[in-house]
Short mmCIF file of all heavy atoms in Angstrom, two decimals:
data_model
loop_
_atom_site.label_atom_id
_atom_site.label_comp_id
_atom_site.label_asym_id
_atom_site.label_seq_id
_atom_site.Cartn_x
_atom_site.Cartn_y
_atom_site.Cartn_z
N ALA A 115 113.53 103.48 90.31
CA ALA A 115 112.08 103.49 90.38
C ALA A 115 111.52 103.82 89.01
O ALA A 115 112.20 104.41 88.16
CB ALA A 115 111.59 104.52 91.41
N ALA A 116 110.28 103.42 88.79
CA ALA A 116 109.53 103.80 87.60
C ALA A 116 108.21 104.38 88.07
O ALA A 116 107.54 103.81 88.94
CB ALA A 116 109.30 102.60 86.69
N ASN A 117 107.84 105.52 87.50
CA ASN A 117 106.65 106.24 87.93
C ASN A 117 105.77 106.52 86.71
O ASN A 117 106.28 106.79 85.62
CB ASN A 117 107.03 107.57 88.58
CG ASN A 117 108.17 107.44 89.56
OD1 ASN A 117 107.97 107.22 90.75
ND2 ASN A 117 109.41 107.57 89.07
N ARG A 118 104.45 106.49 86.91
CA ARG A 118 103.55 106.81 85.83
C ARG A 118 102.34 107.58 86.36
O ARG A 118 102.02 107.48 87.56
CB ARG A 118 103.09 105.58 85.08
CG ARG A 118 102.36 104.55 85.90
CD ARG A 118 101.54 103.59 85.05
NE ARG A 118 102.29 102.73 84.17
CZ ARG A 118 102.38 102.90 82.85
NH1 ARG A 118 101.78 103.94 82.29
NH2 ARG A 118 103.03 102.05 82.11
N PRO A 119 101.66 108.38 85.51
CA PRO A 119 100.48 109.10 85.97
C PRO A 119 99.41 108.13 86.48
O PRO A 119 99.26 107.02 85.97
CB PRO A 119 100.00 109.85 84.73
CG PRO A 119 101.22 109.96 83.87
CD PRO A 119 102.01 108.71 84.13
N ARG A 120 98.64 108.59 87.46
CA ARG A 120 97.66 107.72 88.09
C ARG A 120 96.45 107.43 87.21
O ARG A 120 95.80 106.39 87.34
CB ARG A 120 97.18 108.34 89.40
CG ARG A 120 98.23 108.38 90.48
CD ARG A 120 97.65 108.86 91.79
NE ARG A 120 98.65 108.87 92.84
CZ ARG A 120 98.40 109.18 94.10
NH1 ARG A 120 97.18 109.52 94.46
NH2 ARG A 120 99.36 109.16 95.00
N VAL A 121 96.13 108.36 86.29
CA VAL A 121 94.91 108.23 85.50
C VAL A 121 95.26 107.85 84.06
O VAL A 121 96.13 108.48 83.43
CB VAL A 121 94.11 109.55 85.50
CG1 VAL A 121 92.84 109.40 84.65
CG2 VAL A 121 93.76 109.94 86.93
N ARG A 122 94.57 106.83 83.53
CA ARG A 122 94.77 106.40 82.15
C ARG A 122 93.40 106.29 81.49
O ARG A 122 92.53 105.53 81.96
CB ARG A 122 95.49 105.06 82.11
CG ARG A 122 95.74 104.55 80.70
CD ARG A 122 96.60 103.31 80.69
NE ARG A 122 95.94 102.18 81.31
CZ ARG A 122 96.44 100.93 81.30
NH1 ARG A 122 97.60 100.71 80.73
NH2 ARG A 122 95.80 99.95 81.88
N LEU A 123 93.21 107.02 80.39
CA LEU A 123 91.91 107.08 79.72
C LEU A 123 92.10 106.98 78.21
O LEU A 123 93.12 107.42 77.66
CB LEU A 123 91.19 108.41 80.03
CG LEU A 123 90.85 108.71 81.49
CD1 LEU A 123 90.39 110.16 81.61
CD2 LEU A 123 89.77 107.77 82.00
N TRP A 124 91.10 106.42 77.52
CA TRP A 124 91.08 106.49 76.07
C TRP A 124 90.56 107.85 75.66
O TRP A 124 89.67 108.42 76.30
CB TRP A 124 90.15 105.41 75.49
CG TRP A 124 90.71 104.03 75.51
CD1 TRP A 124 90.43 103.04 76.40
CD2 TRP A 124 91.68 103.50 74.60
NE1 TRP A 124 91.16 101.91 76.10
CE2 TRP A 124 91.94 102.17 74.99
CE3 TRP A 124 92.35 104.01 73.48
CZ2 TRP A 124 92.83 101.34 74.32
CZ3 TRP A 124 93.24 103.18 72.80
CH2 TRP A 124 93.47 101.87 73.23
N ASP A 125 91.09 108.39 74.53
CA ASP A 125 90.54 109.64 74.02
C ASP A 125 89.16 109.36 73.41
O ASP A 125 88.72 108.22 73.31
CB ASP A 125 91.49 110.30 73.02
CG ASP A 125 91.62 109.54 71.71
OD1 ASP A 125 91.01 108.47 71.58
OD2 ASP A 125 92.33 110.03 70.82
N SER A 126 88.47 110.42 72.98
CA SER A 126 87.08 110.28 72.54
C SER A 126 86.94 109.38 71.32
O SER A 126 85.89 108.75 71.13
CB SER A 126 86.49 111.66 72.24
OG SER A 126 87.26 112.32 71.24
N ARG A 127 87.97 109.26 70.50
CA ARG A 127 87.92 108.40 69.32
C ARG A 127 88.50 107.01 69.58
O ARG A 127 88.57 106.20 68.66
CB ARG A 127 88.67 109.06 68.17
CG ARG A 127 88.05 110.38 67.72
CD ARG A 127 88.82 110.93 66.54
NE ARG A 127 88.26 112.20 66.08
CZ ARG A 127 88.74 112.89 65.04
NH1 ARG A 127 89.79 112.43 64.37
NH2 ARG A 127 88.18 114.02 64.70
N ARG A 128 88.94 106.79 70.79
CA ARG A 128 89.59 105.52 71.16
C ARG A 128 90.78 105.22 70.24
O ARG A 128 91.04 104.07 69.87
CB ARG A 128 88.59 104.36 71.15
CG ARG A 128 87.60 104.43 72.29
CD ARG A 128 86.75 103.17 72.38
NE ARG A 128 87.57 101.99 72.71
CZ ARG A 128 87.97 101.67 73.93
NH1 ARG A 128 87.64 102.42 74.97
NH2 ARG A 128 88.69 100.59 74.12
N GLU A 129 91.50 106.26 69.89
CA GLU A 129 92.68 106.10 69.05
C GLU A 129 93.96 106.02 69.87
O GLU A 129 94.96 105.47 69.41
CB GLU A 129 92.77 107.26 68.05
CG GLU A 129 91.67 107.25 66.99
CD GLU A 129 91.79 108.41 66.03
OE1 GLU A 129 92.53 109.36 66.37
OE2 GLU A 129 91.17 108.37 64.96
N ARG A 130 93.95 106.59 71.06
CA ARG A 130 95.16 106.54 71.89
C ARG A 130 94.78 106.71 73.35
O ARG A 130 93.71 107.23 73.69
CB ARG A 130 96.14 107.64 71.47
CG ARG A 130 95.63 109.05 71.70
CD ARG A 130 96.58 110.09 71.11
NE ARG A 130 96.10 111.44 71.34
CZ ARG A 130 96.46 112.20 72.37
NH1 ARG A 130 97.30 111.73 73.28
NH2 ARG A 130 95.99 113.42 72.51
N LEU A 131 95.69 106.25 74.19
CA LEU A 131 95.51 106.42 75.62
C LEU A 131 96.03 107.79 76.05
O LEU A 131 97.05 108.26 75.53
CB LEU A 131 96.25 105.32 76.39
CG LEU A 131 95.60 103.94 76.37
CD1 LEU A 131 96.58 102.90 76.89
CD2 LEU A 131 94.33 103.93 77.19
N VAL A 132 95.32 108.40 76.98
CA VAL A 132 95.72 109.68 77.53
C VAL A 132 96.03 109.49 79.01
O VAL A 132 95.24 108.90 79.74
CB VAL A 132 94.61 110.73 77.35
CG1 VAL A 132 95.02 112.06 77.98
CG2 VAL A 132 94.28 110.92 75.87
N PHE A 133 97.20 109.98 79.44
CA PHE A 133 97.62 109.83 80.82
C PHE A 133 97.62 111.19 81.49
O PHE A 133 98.05 112.19 80.91
CB PHE A 133 99.02 109.22 80.89
CG PHE A 133 99.10 107.83 80.33
CD1 PHE A 133 99.29 107.62 78.96
CD2 PHE A 133 98.96 106.73 81.14
CE1 PHE A 133 99.36 106.35 78.45
CE2 PHE A 133 99.02 105.45 80.63
CZ PHE A 133 99.22 105.25 79.28
N SER A 134 97.14 111.23 82.72
CA SER A 134 97.10 112.50 83.44
C SER A 134 97.14 112.24 84.93
O SER A 134 97.09 111.10 85.38
CB SER A 134 95.83 113.29 83.07
OG SER A 134 94.68 112.58 83.50
N GLY A 135 97.21 113.33 85.69
CA GLY A 135 97.24 113.21 87.14
C GLY A 135 98.64 113.12 87.69
O GLY A 135 99.63 113.06 86.95
N PRO A 136 98.78 113.11 89.01
CA PRO A 136 100.09 113.05 89.65
C PRO A 136 100.78 111.71 89.40
O PRO A 136 100.14 110.69 89.12
CB PRO A 136 99.77 113.23 91.14
CG PRO A 136 98.34 112.78 91.27
CD PRO A 136 97.67 113.15 89.99
N GLN A 137 102.10 111.74 89.48
CA GLN A 137 102.89 110.52 89.28
C GLN A 137 102.71 109.56 90.46
O GLN A 137 102.67 109.98 91.61
CB GLN A 137 104.36 110.87 89.13
CG GLN A 137 104.70 111.62 87.85
CD GLN A 137 104.91 110.70 86.67
OE1 GLN A 137 105.21 109.52 86.83
NE2 GLN A 137 104.75 111.23 85.47
N GLN A 138 102.62 108.29 90.13
CA GLN A 138 102.56 107.22 91.14
C GLN A 138 103.70 106.25 90.87
O GLN A 138 103.88 105.79 89.74
CB GLN A 138 101.22 106.49 91.06
CG GLN A 138 101.14 105.23 91.92
CD GLN A 138 101.22 105.53 93.41
OE1 GLN A 138 100.44 106.34 93.92
NE2 GLN A 138 102.14 104.89 94.11
N GLN A 139 104.47 105.93 91.89
CA GLN A 139 105.55 104.97 91.74
C GLN A 139 104.98 103.58 91.49
O GLN A 139 104.17 103.08 92.26
CB GLN A 139 106.43 104.96 92.99
CG GLN A 139 107.64 104.05 92.89
CD GLN A 139 108.54 104.18 94.10
OE1 GLN A 139 109.21 105.20 94.26
NE2 GLN A 139 108.54 103.19 94.96
N ALA A 140 105.40 102.97 90.37
CA ALA A 140 104.88 101.65 90.00
C ALA A 140 105.82 100.52 90.38
O ALA A 140 105.39 99.38 90.57
CB ALA A 140 104.61 101.61 88.49
N SER A 141 107.12 100.81 90.48
CA SER A 141 108.07 99.79 90.89
C SER A 141 109.31 100.45 91.43
O SER A 141 109.58 101.63 91.17
CB SER A 141 108.44 98.87 89.71
OG SER A 141 109.24 99.55 88.76
N ARG A 142 110.08 99.70 92.20
CA ARG A 142 111.40 100.15 92.66
C ARG A 142 112.29 98.94 92.85
O ARG A 142 111.81 97.79 92.89
CB ARG A 142 111.29 100.95 93.96
CG ARG A 142 110.84 100.17 95.19
CD ARG A 142 110.95 101.06 96.44
NE ARG A 142 110.23 100.57 97.58
CZ ARG A 142 110.80 100.11 98.70
NH1 ARG A 142 112.13 100.06 98.80
NH2 ARG A 142 110.07 99.72 99.72
N LEU A 143 113.58 99.20 92.98
CA LEU A 143 114.53 98.09 93.11
C LEU A 143 115.82 98.58 93.74
O LEU A 143 116.39 99.60 93.34
CB LEU A 143 114.84 97.49 91.73
CG LEU A 143 115.86 96.37 91.68
CD1 LEU A 143 115.39 95.17 92.49
CD2 LEU A 143 116.11 95.95 90.24
N GLY A 144 116.26 97.86 94.76
CA GLY A 144 117.55 98.10 95.37
C GLY A 144 118.38 96.83 95.28
O GLY A 144 119.02 96.55 94.27
N ASN A 145 118.34 96.02 96.35
CA ASN A 145 119.04 94.74 96.32
C ASN A 145 118.31 93.73 95.44
O ASN A 145 117.08 93.71 95.40
CB ASN A 145 119.14 94.17 97.74
CG ASN A 145 120.18 94.88 98.57
OD1 ASN A 145 121.37 94.76 98.33
ND2 ASN A 145 119.73 95.63 99.57
N PRO A 146 119.06 92.88 94.74
CA PRO A 146 118.41 91.86 93.93
C PRO A 146 117.60 90.90 94.79
O PRO A 146 118.00 90.57 95.91
CB PRO A 146 119.58 91.14 93.25
CG PRO A 146 120.77 91.43 94.12
CD PRO A 146 120.53 92.80 94.69
N LEU A 147 116.45 90.50 94.28
CA LEU A 147 115.59 89.47 94.87
C LEU A 147 114.83 89.92 96.11
O LEU A 147 114.12 89.11 96.71
CB LEU A 147 116.41 88.21 95.20
CG LEU A 147 117.15 87.57 94.03
CD1 LEU A 147 118.13 86.51 94.54
CD2 LEU A 147 116.18 86.95 93.04
N PHE A 148 114.95 91.18 96.51
CA PHE A 148 114.34 91.59 97.78
C PHE A 148 112.82 91.43 97.73
O PHE A 148 112.23 90.68 98.52
CB PHE A 148 114.72 93.04 98.11
CG PHE A 148 114.35 93.46 99.51
CD1 PHE A 148 115.29 93.44 100.52
CD2 PHE A 148 113.06 93.88 99.81
CE1 PHE A 148 114.96 93.83 101.82
CE2 PHE A 148 112.72 94.27 101.10
CZ PHE A 148 113.67 94.24 102.10
N ASN A 149 112.16 92.13 96.83
CA ASN A 149 110.70 92.03 96.75
C ASN A 149 110.26 90.64 96.32
O ASN A 149 109.26 90.11 96.78
CB ASN A 149 110.15 93.08 95.78
CG ASN A 149 108.64 93.25 95.89
OD1 ASN A 149 108.01 92.79 96.83
ND2 ASN A 149 108.07 93.93 94.91
N GLU A 150 111.04 90.06 95.43
CA GLU A 150 110.65 88.77 94.87
C GLU A 150 110.61 87.65 95.90
O GLU A 150 109.71 86.82 95.88
CB GLU A 150 111.63 88.41 93.76
CG GLU A 150 111.13 87.32 92.85
CD GLU A 150 111.66 87.52 91.45
OE1 GLU A 150 112.83 87.91 91.32
OE2 GLU A 150 110.93 87.30 90.49
N VAL A 151 111.59 87.63 96.79
CA VAL A 151 111.76 86.47 97.69
C VAL A 151 111.41 86.79 99.14
O VAL A 151 111.00 85.91 99.88
CB VAL A 151 113.21 85.95 97.60
CG1 VAL A 151 113.46 84.82 98.59
CG2 VAL A 151 113.52 85.47 96.18
N LEU A 152 111.55 88.05 99.56
CA LEU A 152 111.42 88.37 100.98
C LEU A 152 110.12 89.05 101.36
O LEU A 152 109.75 89.07 102.54
CB LEU A 152 112.60 89.24 101.43
CG LEU A 152 113.99 88.61 101.24
CD1 LEU A 152 115.08 89.60 101.61
CD2 LEU A 152 114.13 87.33 102.06
N VAL A 153 109.42 89.63 100.40
CA VAL A 153 108.16 90.32 100.68
C VAL A 153 106.99 89.38 100.35
O VAL A 153 106.96 88.81 99.27
CB VAL A 153 108.04 91.61 99.85
CG1 VAL A 153 106.70 92.31 100.11
CG2 VAL A 153 109.20 92.55 100.19
N PRO A 154 106.04 89.20 101.28
CA PRO A 154 104.94 88.27 101.02
C PRO A 154 104.05 88.75 99.87
O PRO A 154 103.96 89.94 99.58
CB PRO A 154 104.18 88.24 102.35
CG PRO A 154 104.58 89.47 103.07
CD PRO A 154 105.97 89.79 102.62
N MET A 155 103.40 87.80 99.20
CA MET A 155 102.60 88.07 98.01
C MET A 155 101.59 89.20 98.23
O MET A 155 101.39 90.06 97.37
CB MET A 155 101.88 86.80 97.58
CG MET A 155 101.04 86.94 96.33
SD MET A 155 102.02 87.23 94.84
CE MET A 155 102.73 85.59 94.61
N SER A 156 100.95 89.21 99.38
CA SER A 156 99.90 90.19 99.63
C SER A 156 100.41 91.62 99.77
O SER A 156 99.62 92.57 99.72
CB SER A 156 99.13 89.81 100.91
OG SER A 156 100.00 89.84 102.03
N ARG A 157 101.74 91.79 99.91
CA ARG A 157 102.29 93.13 100.15
C ARG A 157 103.26 93.58 99.06
O ARG A 157 103.84 94.66 99.15
CB ARG A 157 102.98 93.16 101.52
CG ARG A 157 102.09 92.73 102.68
CD ARG A 157 102.79 92.85 104.00
NE ARG A 157 102.99 94.24 104.37
CZ ARG A 157 103.77 94.64 105.38
NH1 ARG A 157 104.42 93.73 106.11
NH2 ARG A 157 103.91 95.91 105.68
N LYS A 158 103.45 92.78 98.03
CA LYS A 158 104.42 93.11 96.99
C LYS A 158 104.09 94.42 96.26
O LYS A 158 104.97 95.23 95.99
CB LYS A 158 104.53 91.96 95.99
CG LYS A 158 105.25 90.73 96.53
CD LYS A 158 105.32 89.64 95.48
CE LYS A 158 106.05 88.41 95.99
NZ LYS A 158 107.47 88.67 96.24
N ASP A 159 102.82 94.60 95.91
CA ASP A 159 102.45 95.83 95.19
C ASP A 159 102.60 97.05 96.08
O ASP A 159 103.04 98.12 95.62
CB ASP A 159 101.01 95.71 94.68
CG ASP A 159 100.86 94.66 93.60
OD1 ASP A 159 101.77 94.55 92.76
OD2 ASP A 159 99.86 93.93 93.61
N ALA A 160 102.25 96.92 97.36
CA ALA A 160 102.41 98.04 98.29
C ALA A 160 103.89 98.38 98.46
O ALA A 160 104.26 99.57 98.54
CB ALA A 160 101.78 97.69 99.65
#
């Protein structure tokens, strides 16, 4: 799995992104091709 903070903001000078908040899982993988071929388009992100 890959997880990242839920909130992404530019700092006041717009020089860098600031990440905060609880971690949210952005992707996972077990068997090859599972999400790609077996999960319908409307539910892939979920």
Side-chain angles (χ1 to χ4, degrees):
N117 315 269
R118 59 161 65 255
R120 292 186 179 184
V121 179
R122 180 173 65 173
L123 299 169
W124 284 101
D125 69 357
S126 59
R127 297 182 180 181
R128 289 188 65 81
E129 292 180 344
R130 64 187 181 93
L131 285 168
V132 178
F133 297 86
S134 64
Q137 291 276 338
Q138 171 66 54
Q139 184 174 288
S141 71
R142 66 173 164 112
L143 177 61
N145 285 291
L147 302 169
F148 191 98
N149 193 13
E150 196 148 40
V151 176
L152 300 175
V153 178
M155 181 68 72
S156 62
R157 305 183 70 191
K158 288 180 179 293
D159 293 321

